[in-house]
Amino acid sequence: MPTRRETLKSAAAFAAAGAWPLSLRPARSPSPAEAGTGAQAESAAGADEAYSLFDFEPLAKAKMSHAAWEYVNGAAADEITVRWNREGFNRIRLMPRALVDVSKLDCRVNLLGQEMPFPILLAPTASHKATHPDGELATARAAGSCGATMVLSTLSNTSVEEVVRATKSPVWFQLYVQHDREFTRELVKRAVAAGCKALCLTVDTPISGARNREQRAKLALPPGVGYPQLTGLKIPDDPSLHLARLESSIFSSLLSADLTWKEVAWLQSFAGVPLLLKGILNPADADRAVKEGVAGIIVSNHGGRNLDTAPATIDALPGVAEKVAGRIPILMDGGIRRGTDVLKALALGATAVQIGRPYVYGLGAAGEAGVARVLRILQQEFEMAMALIGRPRIRDIDRSVLWPAT
Ligand code: FNR
């Protein structure tokens, strides 16, 4: 029987021989241009010791300003929905199959004609420079080195042109329709001209939720940082307006409370790229979306940041999937933290998932290197889940991986 010392020594040799699973290592050394500002140096700052997405939370909290942490980590009101998003996944039990050859795993998916190496996208999140000085460029570079698609927020602190240039992976553009519809049209055209491959219209945010922690923390963007996608838009000067509001009105100058299906048809008439609706929970809305001819929907409750006590997205997904019945692809986000969560979402009808907070924590903890590590960990965990459940191909993942409810 080996002694503890021998075991540790052989573990070290295993690691040194490069026998740790591949996907945690960068596919290749990044070029100096791709490495960006200090991403490699930062990788030593604790993120190398992160082995799960949860490990990034304390690292990010230690590095980020209190206000930025509250903004990212917080959710709406009593934060019940954000908790349900996790609990929903934890409740679902898995049913493995034994003695299946899983020596070759294939987790590629085709989404809207786009081949993805794994079914995980980066959800749109605003204001990356509140989290890390490299902001969206760090996120884009990490997405590029991992082969992940990044969905860029309308409220990014970096221009869509710079973001698309910074990554060799596809970029999608998330749209908050503005009061000024002509400005909105130009914004969409601009994003498409920059090279964005799809448009995600956020439909769950006619106004923002009661984000009390965000309100108390009063996040302001660093000096000189703004919203380049909104340049030229006539809005009041205060750049933190949408972040720390307690105005006399619940309406925001950056969100359109009058958004309806009319705008969905209008956007499709000129967008020139596939349109997805982000923030669908109701099966009736999903059905309408299909009938309106949209390319896809994203089951999302905005990470619990808007309507508190709306259900967990993993609980909403089956009803939506049943209604859509395979007519268009469904994505989902909210609470994805483990590879088994990705597996469960696919089993219940999603083609792919998005992560929000986890990669923002990676960004806060270690910039580009942190985002890349978050993606690699989740991809690797998903591969582990596929192997251990006995489903080496994505197309074999269906409800049979779920333990029947008792
Ligand atoms: C978001 N989300 C979001 N959604 C959107 O459509 N436009 C946006 O600008 C933002 N901004 C944003 C900022 C921050 C800090 C967070 C945490 C989230 C919602 C996001 O796209 C996604 O729906 C959730 O983050 C998914 O839940 P998880 O992964 O954070 O649990």
Side-chain angles (χ1 to χ4, degrees):
M1 182 127 158
T3 63
R4 185 166 175 270
R5 201 188 178 141
E6 280 163 350
T7 308
L8 286 176
K9 243 170 88 182
S10 67
F14 185 61
W20 294 122
L22 275 177
S23 54
L24 272 187
R25 287 200 247 109
R28 56 184 172 75
S29 305
S31 68
E34 287 170 332
T37 49
Q40 298 309 304
E42 272 183 289
S43 68
D48 282 354
E49 291 304 313
Y51 288 97
S52 85
L53 268 48
F54 293 111
D55 289 349
F56 286 91
E57 296 188 19
L59 298 173
K61 191 173 184 189
K63 281 202 153 189
M64 288 162 64
S65 72
H66 171 72
W69 171 260
E70 292 292 282
Y71 167 62
V72 176
N73 184 256
D78 301 310
E79 305 197 342
I80 290 169
T81 292
V82 71
R83 199 170 68 236
W84 284 347
N85 277 350
R86 282 299 312 142
E87 289 172 0
F89 282 112
N90 290 342
R91 266 199 315 271
I92 299 172
R93 296 171 305 164
L94 292 169
M95 168 88 93
R97 289 216 74 142
L99 296 171
V100 176
D101 179 356
V102 293
S103 58
K104 289 194 189 64
L105 298 170
D106 184 358
C107 53
R108 287 171 302 167
V109 286
N110 191 296
L111 185 56
L112 303 174
Q114 195 182 306
E115 174 107 341
M116 298 184 175
F118 47 85
I120 303 164
L121 293 85
L122 299 182
T125 57
S127 306
H128 288 191
K129 287 193 181 172
T131 302
H132 190 281
D134 294 346
E136 290 80 7
L137 285 184
T139 309
R141 288 178 183 129
S145 67
C146 297
T149 291
M150 170 181 180
V151 187
L152 182 71
S153 170
T154 291
L155 300 176
S156 66
N157 302 134
T158 310
S159 75
V160 60
E161 293 83 4
E162 286 174 280
V163 167
V164 173
R165 272 199 301 272
T167 173
K168 49 191 181 335
S169 290
V171 176
W172 294 3
F173 189 73
Q174 176 269 331
L175 180 68
Y176 280 131
V177 166
Q178 297 300 305
H179 294 289
D180 181 339
R181 298 294 198 262
E182 270 319 298
F183 181 91
T184 306
R185 184 202 295 270
E186 292 309 313
L187 176 57
V188 170
K189 285 192 189 160
R190 178 180 164 186
V192 173
C196 291
K197 301 282 182 237
L199 192 62
C200 294
L201 172 67
T202 297
V203 297
D204 61 7
T205 316
I207 63 167
S208 180
R211 301 182 197 166
N212 297 153
R213 282 168 63 195
E214 184 182 316
Q215 290 167 325
R216 287 185 202 107
K218 297 190 176 37
L219 177 66
L221 291 173
V225 172
Y227 297 109
Q229 267 60 255
L230 300 185
T231 305
L233 182 65
K234 305 242 171 326
I235 44 169
D237 276 347
D238 181 1
S240 61
L241 193 64
H242 81 290
L243 298 176
R245 76 197 73 70
L246 191 55
E247 301 151 288
S248 51
S249 161
I250 62 168
F251 299 110
S252 162
S253 51
L254 299 179
L255 301 168
S256 283
D258 59 352
L259 187 68
T260 67
W261 291 99
K262 195 165 125 260
E263 280 75 17
V264 172
W266 171 68
L267 286 167
Q268 283 178 292
S269 73
F270 68 88
V273 293
L275 177 74
L276 297 94
L277 303 187
K278 174 175 182 283
I280 297 286
L281 293 174
N282 190 321
D285 285 340
D287 193 44
R288 174 89 188 253
V290 176
K291 289 181 177 141
E292 296 286 338
V294 306
I297 55 173
I298 304 170
V299 173
S300 175
N301 54 31
H302 217 99
R305 297 164 78 82
N306 285 349
L307 180 67
D308 201 24
T309 69
T313 43
I314 194 65
D315 291 336
L317 178 61
V320 169
E322 193 185 347
K323 200 61 153 178
V324 169
R327 290 176 289 172
I328 54 172
I330 302 172
L331 284 78
M332 73 86 73
D333 68 30
I336 299 269
R337 302 291 180 270
R338 289 286 183 186
T340 45
D341 301 334
V342 183
L343 181 82
K344 291 169 186 178
L346 266 52
L348 289 169
T351 301
V353 303
Q354 302 191 130
I355 50 170
R357 291 181 187 84
Y359 82 82
V360 184
Y361 297 144
L363 180 66
E368 176 191 342
V371 177
R373 194 169 173 89
V374 163
L375 276 166
R376 289 198 190 96
I377 288 173
L378 193 60
Q379 178 192 354
Q380 186 177 91
E381 283 191 10
F382 178 54
E383 289 168 356
M384 288 171 172
M386 287 174 73
L388 293 171
I389 201 91
R391 304 293 194 286
R393 290 170 306 250
I394 295 269
R395 67 170 179 274
D396 303 328
I397 299 171
D398 57 19
R399 279 174 180 253
S400 66
V401 306
L402 307 175
W403 197 276
T406 43

